[in-house]
Structure formats: C-alpha cells, structure tokens
Amino acid sequence: MKVFITRRIPDIAFDMLGKEGVEVIFNNEDRVLSSDEIIEGAKGCDALITLLSDTIDKKIIDTFEKVRIISNYAVGYNNIDIEHCRKKNIIVCNTPDVLTHATAYLGFSLLLAVARKIPESDSFVREGLFKGWAPRLLRGHDVYSKTLGVIGAGRIGGEVLRRGIGFNMKLLYNTRSKKEQLEKELGACFASKEEIAKRSDFIVLCTPLNDDTFHMIDKSFILNMKKDAILINIARGQVVDEKVLIEALEDKKIAGAGLDVYENEPQVPERLKRLKNVVLLPHTGSSTFKARDDMAVLCVNSILDILKRGKMPQNRIC
Ligand code: DGY
C-alpha cells in the first residue's frame, strides 16, 4: 500500500501510516505542488492526502491508476472535483469537527481584533507612539449587546454564534434550511441574507464555497450593510467579491473587515494591505497544534478504513 502526501503534515500521520506498514511518499519542500508534480507523485499510489491549496481537477483525477481515496486535509473540499471523483468511484473525505472550535474562535478573535483595533494598537505601542492614556486614543467599536449575523451556520458557524452569547449579542443566522437547535439552544433567529446585511453589526462568513456562494458578498450586499458594520471572512475568499469589498472599505461604506481568506490565495491585494480598518490573517483558521494533529489523524484513519479495515470512513463526502 502506498500513500502520497502533497505536503508535510504533522508527524503523527507518518507514524500512524508507518505502523500499519503503509509506504509514504511526500512532498518535503515547503511549497504547493504543480498539477504535473501531483500527477507524478500519485503514480502507483492507493491513496492521497491533499491540501486545500491543491486543485484536484478532472485532468489530474483522470491520470490516477490506483487511487481509491483522497483524504483532504481540510473541512472545505472545494479544491476537489467531487462529481468527477464520484464518477470514477474515488472516495473523498474531509476533516470536520476536529477544527470546529479552533476555526470558530479564530473567527471571533478576528471580530474582536477589528472592533478593538488590536493590531493597530500593538503597532502604535511598538512604534513608540504611546505617550500615555488619552480619552480619544484608538477608540473602537462595541461588541457587547450588538447584533451578530452568521452566514453558513453549520458546525463552525454555530460555534461562532455560541461565542456571541458571552457578549450578550443578538444572534441572526442564515443557512439553506432553518436550524431548530440553534434557535432553541442559543436563541438565534433565522434571517435572509438581506436582513443579515441590514441588521448586523458584525457579519461572519462561514459558508462553504460552491456555485451558489461564489461572490455571495457582492455590491448589493455590501451597500445594504450598516456604515459601522464589520465583515469577517473565515470561509473561502471567493465567497466575497474582493474588489467590491476593497472599494467599500476605502470609501468607508463599512467600518472594517477581518479576513483569514482571500480570493486568489496566496495573493493579498496591496490595496487591502494599505487599509488600517482591516485585519489580515494567512488562512490560519484551524492552525492550533491540536487541531492540525487531529486533522492528520482523521485523514489517516479515513485512508486506513478503506485500505486496511474494509469499512467506509465516517467523514466521507462521496
Ligand atoms: C478548512 O479546513 O477548510 C479551513 O479553511 C481551515 O482553516
């Protein structure tokens, strides 16, 4: 049995596969592989562990001779042509649950960081500009008792909403169908996207990327937002029309944004970097030691389920 891992993931994955006598080939260079390199690496392999930065399209899938399972080291799987894998009987798995809390509170940290100007305040001190307490110094936006709107209230979105309770926030959410549990347990109210745009002080995007959500945050959504509202994106960059967002931030049509993801990663537009009302992170939503280890374990277990244990992995997408 042979597994190809497209980039070095935590050691626990290698230990687990080694113990089961599975041969591992991996990309030891700290960079994203090209399509040709993925094709080359996958030759003769039974399984792959891929990353969200690998585009596993029809062209690559069609070259697979033996691959039975692709285990994606992420909860999002928009980087893989799922329909084509289905046609070719290739199983695809992801890493849900284990990164839910890490990603949710990274989202909430971004919200607080933008609202209370934390990176800007940190730079202010480091640059020697702090000359003592001052009544008008670096005033931010209140979070307590404000309205939090979450778009994409799945596991991560639900946990973002839960964190709003600690700040006595009014909770709105939007998903494809109403979530009774969020309403009963958290007192969250279902709202249309338009209502969320109009009523929320903080909007957190947690939706998966697909044809329906591509550029969901467009000009009309942003123009509906309150002038002092803040947009947080911990989903995928393409959910937001980045050009429109930048214009809105430059023109102060909204108060700020916190972004963990970008439309053309790893490119981050210079115009975005120049803005003070924005906090930018390098797609580290799930990046805690524990979450990243647990993701590795989940990826390997899915592969071992198929290759060694003769059972279907729980976290199967197709
Ligand atoms: C994922 O796993 O899809 C997230 O983007 C991780 O940060």
mmCIF file of all heavy atoms in Angstrom, residues 243-274:
data_model
loop_
_atom_site.group_PDB
_atom_site.id
_atom_site.type_symbol
_atom_site.label_atom_id
_atom_site.label_comp_id
_atom_site.label_asym_id
_atom_site.label_seq_id
_atom_site.Cartn_x
_atom_site.Cartn_y
_atom_site.Cartn_z
ATOM 1 N N LYS A 243 -12.796 42.878 -4.890
ATOM 2 C CA LYS A 243 -12.646 44.248 -5.419
ATOM 3 C C LYS A 243 -13.704 45.158 -4.821
ATOM 4 O O LYS A 243 -13.428 46.288 -4.408
ATOM 5 C CB LYS A 243 -12.841 44.236 -6.947
ATOM 6 C CG LYS A 243 -11.571 44.048 -7.696
ATOM 7 C CD LYS A 243 -11.760 44.520 -9.147
ATOM 8 C CE LYS A 243 -10.598 44.023 -9.960
ATOM 9 N NZ LYS A 243 -10.977 43.272 -11.137
ATOM 10 N N VAL A 244 -14.932 44.637 -4.775
ATOM 11 C CA VAL A 244 -16.053 45.410 -4.241
ATOM 12 C C VAL A 244 -15.822 45.691 -2.752
ATOM 13 O O VAL A 244 -16.066 46.802 -2.265
ATOM 14 C CB VAL A 244 -17.372 44.618 -4.477
ATOM 15 C CG1 VAL A 244 -18.509 45.184 -3.668
ATOM 16 C CG2 VAL A 244 -17.714 44.585 -5.955
ATOM 17 N N LEU A 245 -15.313 44.686 -2.039
ATOM 18 C CA LEU A 245 -15.052 44.869 -0.602
ATOM 19 C C LEU A 245 -13.987 45.948 -0.390
ATOM 20 O O LEU A 245 -14.147 46.826 0.469
ATOM 21 C CB LEU A 245 -14.599 43.546 0.033
ATOM 22 C CG LEU A 245 -14.168 43.656 1.500
ATOM 23 C CD1 LEU A 245 -15.343 44.014 2.413
ATOM 24 C CD2 LEU A 245 -13.510 42.365 1.988
ATOM 25 N N ILE A 246 -12.935 45.899 -1.185
ATOM 26 C CA ILE A 246 -11.846 46.874 -1.015
ATOM 27 C C ILE A 246 -12.385 48.291 -1.238
ATOM 28 O O ILE A 246 -12.116 49.214 -0.464
ATOM 29 C CB ILE A 246 -10.653 46.559 -1.955
ATOM 30 C CG1 ILE A 246 -9.996 45.247 -1.531
ATOM 31 C CG2 ILE A 246 -9.635 47.699 -1.975
ATOM 32 C CD1 ILE A 246 -8.954 44.697 -2.488
ATOM 33 N N GLU A 247 -13.173 48.444 -2.301
ATOM 34 C CA GLU A 247 -13.760 49.769 -2.584
ATOM 35 C C GLU A 247 -14.613 50.251 -1.412
ATOM 36 O O GLU A 247 -14.518 51.395 -0.995
ATOM 37 C CB GLU A 247 -14.642 49.695 -3.838
ATOM 38 C CG GLU A 247 -13.852 49.984 -5.106
ATOM 39 C CD GLU A 247 -14.610 49.554 -6.353
ATOM 40 O OE1 GLU A 247 -15.866 49.563 -6.325
ATOM 41 O OE2 GLU A 247 -13.920 49.187 -7.319
ATOM 42 N N ALA A 248 -15.413 49.330 -0.870
ATOM 43 C CA ALA A 248 -16.302 49.696 0.239
ATOM 44 C C ALA A 248 -15.488 50.114 1.468
ATOM 45 O O ALA A 248 -15.846 51.055 2.182
ATOM 46 C CB ALA A 248 -17.217 48.533 0.573
ATOM 47 N N LEU A 249 -14.377 49.408 1.697
ATOM 48 C CA LEU A 249 -13.536 49.738 2.856
ATOM 49 C C LEU A 249 -12.813 51.066 2.638
ATOM 50 O O LEU A 249 -12.713 51.897 3.549
ATOM 51 C CB LEU A 249 -12.516 48.621 3.090
ATOM 52 C CG LEU A 249 -13.094 47.304 3.634
ATOM 53 C CD1 LEU A 249 -12.117 46.155 3.436
ATOM 54 C CD2 LEU A 249 -13.460 47.430 5.117
ATOM 55 N N GLU A 250 -12.332 51.270 1.413
ATOM 56 C CA GLU A 250 -11.631 52.537 1.111
ATOM 57 C C GLU A 250 -12.586 53.728 1.238
ATOM 58 O O GLU A 250 -12.217 54.784 1.738
ATOM 59 C CB GLU A 250 -11.064 52.488 -0.318
ATOM 60 C CG GLU A 250 -9.844 51.596 -0.442
ATOM 61 C CD GLU A 250 -9.353 51.432 -1.888
ATOM 62 O OE1 GLU A 250 -10.099 51.765 -2.835
ATOM 63 O OE2 GLU A 250 -8.231 50.951 -2.063
ATOM 64 N N ASP A 251 -13.811 53.516 0.761
ATOM 65 C CA ASP A 251 -14.795 54.614 0.791
ATOM 66 C C ASP A 251 -15.537 54.700 2.113
ATOM 67 O O ASP A 251 -16.516 55.445 2.237
ATOM 68 C CB ASP A 251 -15.832 54.423 -0.338
ATOM 69 C CG ASP A 251 -15.174 54.447 -1.713
ATOM 70 O OD1 ASP A 251 -14.004 54.873 -1.783
ATOM 71 O OD2 ASP A 251 -15.830 54.018 -2.687
ATOM 72 N N LYS A 252 -15.121 53.882 3.086
ATOM 73 C CA LYS A 252 -15.748 53.855 4.421
ATOM 74 C C LYS A 252 -17.247 53.603 4.360
ATOM 75 O O LYS A 252 -18.034 54.119 5.144
ATOM 76 C CB LYS A 252 -15.452 55.160 5.182
ATOM 77 C CG LYS A 252 -13.993 55.536 5.292
ATOM 78 C CD LYS A 252 -13.560 55.518 6.736
ATOM 79 C CE LYS A 252 -12.116 55.656 7.045
ATOM 80 N NZ LYS A 252 -11.073 55.595 6.094
ATOM 81 N N LYS A 253 -17.637 52.758 3.403
ATOM 82 C CA LYS A 253 -19.059 52.369 3.309
ATOM 83 C C LYS A 253 -19.391 51.389 4.442
ATOM 84 O O LYS A 253 -20.531 51.244 4.835
ATOM 85 C CB LYS A 253 -19.337 51.683 1.959
ATOM 86 C CG LYS A 253 -19.231 52.585 0.746
ATOM 87 C CD LYS A 253 -20.593 52.684 0.104
ATOM 88 C CE LYS A 253 -20.752 53.619 -1.054
ATOM 89 N NZ LYS A 253 -19.747 54.539 -1.419
ATOM 90 N N ILE A 254 -18.359 50.645 4.900
ATOM 91 C CA ILE A 254 -18.486 49.818 6.096
ATOM 92 C C ILE A 254 -17.268 50.125 6.978
ATOM 93 O O ILE A 254 -16.285 50.700 6.506
ATOM 94 C CB ILE A 254 -18.583 48.306 5.778
ATOM 95 C CG1 ILE A 254 -17.339 47.784 5.057
ATOM 96 C CG2 ILE A 254 -19.841 47.976 4.985
ATOM 97 C CD1 ILE A 254 -17.315 46.260 4.904
ATOM 98 N N ALA A 255 -17.364 49.707 8.267
ATOM 99 C CA ALA A 255 -16.315 50.150 9.196
ATOM 100 C C ALA A 255 -15.023 49.345 9.100
ATOM 101 O O ALA A 255 -13.937 49.861 9.376
ATOM 102 C CB ALA A 255 -16.849 50.086 10.615
ATOM 103 N N GLY A 256 -15.125 48.069 8.734
ATOM 104 C CA GLY A 256 -13.887 47.295 8.708
ATOM 105 C C GLY A 256 -14.116 45.863 8.280
ATOM 106 O O GLY A 256 -15.248 45.437 8.046
ATOM 107 N N ALA A 257 -13.023 45.130 8.195
ATOM 108 C CA ALA A 257 -13.116 43.724 7.825
ATOM 109 C C ALA A 257 -11.985 42.949 8.479
ATOM 110 O O ALA A 257 -10.900 43.488 8.731
ATOM 111 C CB ALA A 257 -13.047 43.546 6.307
ATOM 112 N N GLY A 258 -12.273 41.683 8.738
ATOM 113 C CA GLY A 258 -11.255 40.768 9.250
ATOM 114 C C GLY A 258 -11.227 39.580 8.311
ATOM 115 O O GLY A 258 -12.249 38.927 8.106
ATOM 116 N N LEU A 259 -10.087 39.336 7.688
ATOM 117 C CA LEU A 259 -10.038 38.305 6.650
ATOM 118 C C LEU A 259 -8.984 37.254 6.960
ATOM 119 O O LEU A 259 -7.823 37.578 7.214
ATOM 120 C CB LEU A 259 -9.727 38.950 5.290
ATOM 121 C CG LEU A 259 -10.649 40.102 4.859
ATOM 122 C CD1 LEU A 259 -10.121 40.746 3.591
ATOM 123 C CD2 LEU A 259 -12.078 39.611 4.662
ATOM 124 N N ASP A 260 -9.416 35.997 6.924
ATOM 125 C CA ASP A 260 -8.465 34.893 7.054
ATOM 126 C C ASP A 260 -8.231 34.263 5.695
ATOM 127 O O ASP A 260 -7.345 33.427 5.539
ATOM 128 C CB ASP A 260 -9.033 33.839 8.034
ATOM 129 C CG ASP A 260 -8.045 32.720 8.331
ATOM 130 O OD1 ASP A 260 -6.834 33.010 8.424
ATOM 131 O OD2 ASP A 260 -8.463 31.551 8.444
ATOM 132 N N VAL A 261 -9.046 34.641 4.710
ATOM 133 C CA VAL A 261 -9.007 34.007 3.380
ATOM 134 C C VAL A 261 -9.130 35.069 2.288
ATOM 135 O O VAL A 261 -9.699 36.142 2.523
ATOM 136 C CB VAL A 261 -10.159 32.975 3.263
ATOM 137 C CG1 VAL A 261 -9.910 31.758 4.135
ATOM 138 C CG2 VAL A 261 -11.502 33.607 3.608
ATOM 139 N N TYR A 262 -8.620 34.759 1.098
ATOM 140 C CA TYR A 262 -8.531 35.747 0.017
ATOM 141 C C TYR A 262 -8.957 35.110 -1.296
ATOM 142 O O TYR A 262 -8.870 33.885 -1.464
ATOM 143 C CB TYR A 262 -7.087 36.277 -0.076
ATOM 144 C CG TYR A 262 -6.650 36.765 1.280
ATOM 145 C CD1 TYR A 262 -6.037 35.905 2.183
ATOM 146 C CD2 TYR A 262 -6.969 38.058 1.689
ATOM 147 C CE1 TYR A 262 -5.723 36.323 3.466
ATOM 148 C CE2 TYR A 262 -6.654 38.486 2.975
ATOM 149 C CZ TYR A 262 -6.035 37.611 3.856
ATOM 150 O OH TYR A 262 -5.748 38.030 5.127
ATOM 151 N N GLU A 263 -9.351 35.979 -2.223
ATOM 152 C CA GLU A 263 -9.892 35.454 -3.471
ATOM 153 C C GLU A 263 -8.851 34.663 -4.267
ATOM 154 O O GLU A 263 -9.165 33.633 -4.840
ATOM 155 C CB GLU A 263 -10.483 36.606 -4.303
ATOM 156 C CG GLU A 263 -11.585 36.080 -5.152
ATOM 157 C CD GLU A 263 -12.434 37.120 -5.831
ATOM 158 O OE1 GLU A 263 -12.576 38.265 -5.348
ATOM 159 O OE2 GLU A 263 -12.977 36.771 -6.887
ATOM 160 N N ASN A 264 -7.621 35.159 -4.315
ATOM 161 C CA ASN A 264 -6.587 34.450 -5.093
ATOM 162 C C ASN A 264 -5.386 34.107 -4.214
ATOM 163 O O ASN A 264 -4.279 34.588 -4.425
ATOM 164 C CB ASN A 264 -6.126 35.331 -6.271
ATOM 165 C CG ASN A 264 -7.275 35.641 -7.192
ATOM 166 O OD1 ASN A 264 -7.903 34.743 -7.742
ATOM 167 N ND2 ASN A 264 -7.592 36.924 -7.340
ATOM 168 N N GLU A 265 -5.624 33.301 -3.218
ATOM 169 C CA GLU A 265 -4.531 32.959 -2.289
ATOM 170 C C GLU A 265 -3.359 32.326 -3.016
ATOM 171 O O GLU A 265 -3.583 31.549 -3.940
ATOM 172 C CB GLU A 265 -5.048 31.973 -1.221
ATOM 173 C CG GLU A 265 -5.897 32.671 -0.202
ATOM 174 C CD GLU A 265 -6.456 31.729 0.859
ATOM 175 O OE1 GLU A 265 -5.857 30.670 1.124
ATOM 176 O OE2 GLU A 265 -7.504 32.064 1.408
ATOM 177 N N PRO A 266 -2.128 32.638 -2.664
ATOM 178 C CA PRO A 266 -1.738 33.447 -1.513
ATOM 179 C C PRO A 266 -1.618 34.950 -1.810
ATOM 180 O O PRO A 266 -1.037 35.691 -1.006
ATOM 181 C CB PRO A 266 -0.370 32.871 -1.156
ATOM 182 C CG PRO A 266 0.202 32.463 -2.467
ATOM 183 C CD PRO A 266 -0.952 32.026 -3.332
ATOM 184 N N GLN A 267 -2.169 35.384 -2.953
ATOM 185 C CA GLN A 267 -2.056 36.827 -3.229
ATOM 186 C C GLN A 267 -3.031 37.644 -2.381
ATOM 187 O O GLN A 267 -4.206 37.317 -2.327
ATOM 188 C CB GLN A 267 -2.367 37.103 -4.681
ATOM 189 C CG GLN A 267 -1.241 36.715 -5.613
ATOM 190 C CD GLN A 267 -1.731 36.564 -7.014
ATOM 191 O OE1 GLN A 267 -2.507 37.374 -7.494
ATOM 192 N NE2 GLN A 267 -1.333 35.489 -7.655
ATOM 193 N N VAL A 268 -2.491 38.683 -1.760
ATOM 194 C CA VAL A 268 -3.327 39.592 -0.982
ATOM 195 C C VAL A 268 -3.149 40.971 -1.613
ATOM 196 O O VAL A 268 -2.029 41.484 -1.672
ATOM 197 C CB VAL A 268 -2.895 39.605 0.506
ATOM 198 C CG1 VAL A 268 -3.752 40.574 1.306
ATOM 199 C CG2 VAL A 268 -2.966 38.204 1.094
ATOM 200 N N PRO A 269 -4.215 41.558 -2.138
ATOM 201 C CA PRO A 269 -4.075 42.838 -2.850
ATOM 202 C C PRO A 269 -3.396 43.927 -2.007
ATOM 203 O O PRO A 269 -3.698 44.056 -0.813
ATOM 204 C CB PRO A 269 -5.522 43.225 -3.163
ATOM 205 C CG PRO A 269 -6.297 41.961 -3.082
ATOM 206 C CD PRO A 269 -5.586 41.080 -2.107
ATOM 207 N N GLU A 270 -2.491 44.667 -2.633
ATOM 208 C CA GLU A 270 -1.776 45.746 -1.935
ATOM 209 C C GLU A 270 -2.750 46.756 -1.336
ATOM 210 O O GLU A 270 -2.539 47.272 -0.245
ATOM 211 C CB GLU A 270 -0.801 46.468 -2.893
ATOM 212 C CG GLU A 270 0.438 45.651 -3.245
ATOM 213 C CD GLU A 270 1.226 45.177 -2.031
ATOM 214 O OE1 GLU A 270 1.414 45.955 -1.087
ATOM 215 O OE2 GLU A 270 1.630 43.988 -2.040
ATOM 216 N N ARG A 271 -3.840 47.010 -2.070
ATOM 217 C CA ARG A 271 -4.826 47.998 -1.579
ATOM 218 C C ARG A 271 -5.419 47.556 -0.240
ATOM 219 O O ARG A 271 -5.718 48.374 0.614
ATOM 220 C CB ARG A 271 -5.952 48.167 -2.608
ATOM 221 C CG ARG A 271 -5.573 49.067 -3.782
ATOM 222 C CD ARG A 271 -6.582 48.948 -4.870
ATOM 223 N NE ARG A 271 -7.868 49.555 -4.552
ATOM 224 C CZ ARG A 271 -8.987 49.323 -5.259
ATOM 225 N NH1 ARG A 271 -8.962 48.527 -6.307
ATOM 226 N NH2 ARG A 271 -10.116 49.908 -4.929
ATOM 227 N N LEU A 272 -5.572 46.247 -0.097
ATOM 228 C CA LEU A 272 -6.114 45.709 1.157
ATOM 229 C C LEU A 272 -5.084 45.893 2.278
ATOM 230 O O LEU A 272 -5.414 46.291 3.393
ATOM 231 C CB LEU A 272 -6.405 44.220 0.930
ATOM 232 C CG LEU A 272 -7.472 43.506 1.749
ATOM 233 C CD1 LEU A 272 -8.753 44.303 1.872
ATOM 234 C CD2 LEU A 272 -7.764 42.158 1.114
ATOM 235 N N LYS A 273 -3.816 45.645 1.941
ATOM 236 C CA LYS A 273 -2.759 45.744 2.956
ATOM 237 C C LYS A 273 -2.588 47.180 3.454
ATOM 238 O O LYS A 273 -2.114 47.400 4.558
ATOM 239 C CB LYS A 273 -1.431 45.254 2.375
ATOM 240 C CG LYS A 273 -1.379 43.768 2.127
ATOM 241 C CD LYS A 273 0.035 43.368 1.740
ATOM 242 C CE LYS A 273 0.077 42.113 0.911
ATOM 243 N NZ LYS A 273 1.331 41.950 0.198
ATOM 244 N N ARG A 274 -2.955 48.137 2.593
ATOM 245 C CA ARG A 274 -2.764 49.540 2.984
ATOM 246 C C ARG A 274 -3.827 50.037 3.964
ATOM 247 O O ARG A 274 -3.677 51.073 4.591
ATOM 248 C CB ARG A 274 -2.781 50.430 1.731
ATOM 249 C CG ARG A 274 -1.441 50.444 0.985
ATOM 250 C CD ARG A 274 -1.344 51.622 0.048
ATOM 251 N NE ARG A 274 -2.223 51.474 -1.100
ATOM 252 C CZ ARG A 274 -1.869 50.880 -2.248
ATOM 253 N NH1 ARG A 274 -0.648 50.395 -2.387
ATOM 254 N NH2 ARG A 274 -2.721 50.784 -3.245
#
